[in-house]
Amino acid sequence: MELLRSHLSRVRIPEPTNRIYKNECCVSFDTPRSDGGLYVDLSSFLAFGKDYVGWNYEKTGNPVYLHIEQKIIPAPDDRPLKKPTILAIGVEGGFVNQEPEYEETHHIVILPDYIALQFPSVELPEKVRLSVDAILLSEGAERKEQLASWATEKKKSDYALLLEQINNNVIIPPSGWKCSKCDKTDNLWLNLTDGMILCGRRNWDGSGGNDHAFEHYREKKYPLAVKLGTLSADLEKSDVFSYPEDETVVDPLLAQHLAFFGIDFSSLQKTEMTTAEKELDQNMNFDWNRIQESGQELEPLFGQGYTGLVNLGNSCYMSSTMQVVFSTRSFITRYYAEQNLKSAFELAPADPTLDLNMQLTKLGFGLLSGKYSSPTHEVEELGHAKGASSVAKQEGIPPRMFKTVIAASHPEFSSTRQQDALEFFLHLLDQVEQTHARKAELDPSRSFKFFIEERLQCPSGKVAYNKRADYILSLNIPLTEATNKEQLEAYNKLKADKSLTEEEFTNHEIVRPRVPLEACLKSFSEPEEVHDFYSTALDARTTAIKTAGLTTFPDYLVLHMRKFVLEEGWVPKKLDVYIDVPDIIDISHMRSKGIQSGEELLPEKASNIDETKPIQFVPDEDIVSQLAVMGFNYLHCQKAAIKTSNIGVEEAMNWLLSHMNDPDIDDPIHYGPRDTTPPIDETSVATLISFGFQETVARKALKASGGNIEMAADWIFSHPEATSTSMDTDVPISSSTLAIDTKVPDGNGRYKLLGLVSHIGSSIHCGHYVAHVRKEGRWVIFNDSKVGASADPPLDMGYVYFFERSDG
């Protein structure tokens, strides 16, 4: 006790603003439940496992610690387990969290001799008691993992309370419903404004309806519809869809809205699934089962390199990416083989929880050492504990501190919303590169980096070369190159057969296009036309031919499959396609060799330009005349065409309608010095922002696409690297501004498939990500905390593929 009193100057009482760690070691994944418990420094409030607390004492000299230890309380063997009645967690009738109970003990420990004093004790100095009480009462800096409910919450519609219903003398019968525009008798929706009964949307596989309800909304703009087959006495379970909000909603006045059309819902019986129920049902479909290998007898794997990651709430995008990244030699070497936890801790600042190098080393140790990959047993089949089968599994490690650090400069990754695994991968490499700005030779992100060279040839025959750095090769999927066209044609005929019911159709096996990866790689290198290209040789806008190739081949080649495209109506759509990916690829033919003998470069500027003389950007007369015919002022029409870079009549008219009241709308047109960059329309920027794109990315895309919104959106999907925080949206990428980094690896173009990240779901911002990695000659599935030998890896369903250079 006297020794403790002599160290009271090193004991602090935490204030509300202090970050207190008491649930996880800051340099490892040890917890109070680990062997030896956890030691909380009573000066810095950092926590350390038993093997690491000595390092902190050596570094800081802080001698007094709160030792927290949790030991499991054995559960009775005859404890019954309730069988769930709904697919949900943590709600009434759902799965019950069967967490074991733990007994927690506390001691005050004085280093370096690990002298332990009982806590609580009235003999302890008041300052120590106050410090420990504050720590134990605090929530802890580590966010407690919360069980996420699987039950989707519906939002109240903004349109329900103000809905105007039209009296068309329509009375809806209690049965015998049929689409007003076709013969569909199922998947029928009642528009709550005019009482029209119409069929729902057609699904990608041909099932569903014929889109008549949606077409009716597009024509009339009547916002709400209810699915007739879901009506019953329990109106809360009815399916109401809001077209302008594009989601299932709650209509608090549904009973009143139904009564308007003579519907007595109390006598109706539910006959169809709601949208939410269909989504749950689709979670068990082929894709879900195939990618997760559900139903397969997977052999659980444990030990070095086989540690799972706990899902922190929609963090599978991060987990799947990091499992593949830490299977590469570059990251293994940098953050595990050549740097141990102690050296990283010694290099870290005062708070190692905020140091990316420390947290990457901690994550590498957690994934690769095998320390946290040991089997536990849990009940697999529901029922009573006696007789229930059990399966070996691992708990996995929670990457909370790593997520906090890596997301510090990216607010979206700090949230619990699902994110794009590819965007996260690029953000990770960007952050790693920044931390190695002064030690580039140690940077593991360089193993993914390469240079792309684009060659542009205008009709004059002269050429221009542009180079840019990248970490991923983003590939279009040419559906026209599918190898199973006959089967697809037969399947499409089946989908068009109106005599088949939805149930009969869904019993048939789904046929999807199979496109060889070779065709995707070929599409990257194929010549493409670049319209509205300004040629300095011709001093005019023309059409150029662009080809692309790689000037360097990275150690690890990452291929991104562009499965997400924009369909009509600006709706993101996921291509339903298989990619046939071989074990070995050779891209040697894709190497670009720069300017060739006999080629002549385009001049930097046109030779006949007098830059002191203003040059007119001429409005397109076709656009001007078509607008003038509509009754618009001719001068206004000219301005609209110029402001929208002569893109088209619709764009010019939209600009004109939104700028009719501009104070300078009637001023004469003043032509400034030549500027080959088209002006960016702010309404176009706002439109892209409304799609969910960042403003800087939207402006860059519009600049690259001449102001065309559709082309800009396609550009964003085609250039996911544009979201990287290190990209400068104002600096043109050209050979004059970007020099080849001689430190970037280069070698032969032969690669072997190392791993893939697959995605389940209709959007990159929802669904689930799973990783498959080749380890020790076999495929391994990493599905959050589950790790097992893969029985049937979905190699044809990847979203991002990782290839390793093969020297063989």
Side-chain angles (χ1 to χ4, degrees), residues 437-441 446-447 451 740-746:
R438 297 182 179 180
K439 294 184 177 180
E441 68 279 2
R446 291 188 309 126
S447 63
F451 284 87
I740 288 293
D741 184 354
T742 56
K743 296 180 181 178
V744 171
D746 193 14

Side-chain angles (χ1 to χ4, degrees), residues 464-480:
Y465 284 89
N466 297 321
K467 293 184 177 70
R468 60 182 172 87
D470 216 327
Y471 292 105
I472 56 112
L473 200 59
S474 190
L475 302 177
N476 287 320
I477 303 174
L479 297 179
T480 54

Side-chain angles (χ1 to χ4, degrees), residues 487-498 500 505:
Q487 295 92 323
L488 281 170
E489 186 178 349
Y491 183 68
N492 289 332
K493 286 182 179 178
L494 188 67
K495 286 199 293 185
D497 188 350
K498 302 294 184 181
L500 291 178
F505 178 77

Side-chain angles (χ1 to χ4, degrees), residues 55 61 64 142 145 154 360 374 386 412 468 587 620 790:
W55 302 349
V64 187
E142 314 94 330
E145 184 183 353
K154 297 179 184 178
L360 274 169
S374 56
K386 289 184 177 180
E412 276 300 306
R468 60 182 172 87
I587 62 167
D620 188 305
S790 175

Side-chain angles (χ1 to χ4, degrees), residues 378-450:
E378 70 164 13
V379 175
E380 184 182 57
E381 295 182 3
L382 295 170
H384 292 281
K386 289 184 177 180
S389 63
S390 64
V391 61
K393 61 162 287 185
Q394 58 173 284
E395 292 182 357
I397 53 177
R400 293 188 190 94
M401 293 184 189
F402 168 70
K403 183 181 180 185
T404 299
V405 175
I406 198 66
S409 59
H410 197 296
E412 276 300 306
F413 295 139
S414 300
S415 73
T416 57
R417 293 183 292 272
Q418 185 65 278
Q419 303 297 330
D420 181 6
L422 179 71
E423 185 179 353
F424 174 77
F425 172 69
L426 292 171
H427 175 71
L428 168 73
L429 297 188
D430 177 65
Q431 295 297 297
V432 170
E433 184 179 38
Q434 289 186 36
T435 61
H436 290 84
R438 297 182 179 180
K439 294 184 177 180
E441 68 279 2
L442 299 177
D443 183 7
S445 72
R446 291 188 309 126
S447 63
F448 297 95
K449 194 174 186 179
F450 60 93

Side-chain angles (χ1 to χ4, degrees), residues 28-50:
S28 74
F29 290 94
D30 288 359
T31 71
R33 299 175 186 178
S34 301
D35 181 28
L38 212 58
Y39 293 80
V40 181
D41 184 335
L42 293 190
S43 180
S44 66
F45 311 120
L46 295 171
F48 299 88
K50 70 169 186 176

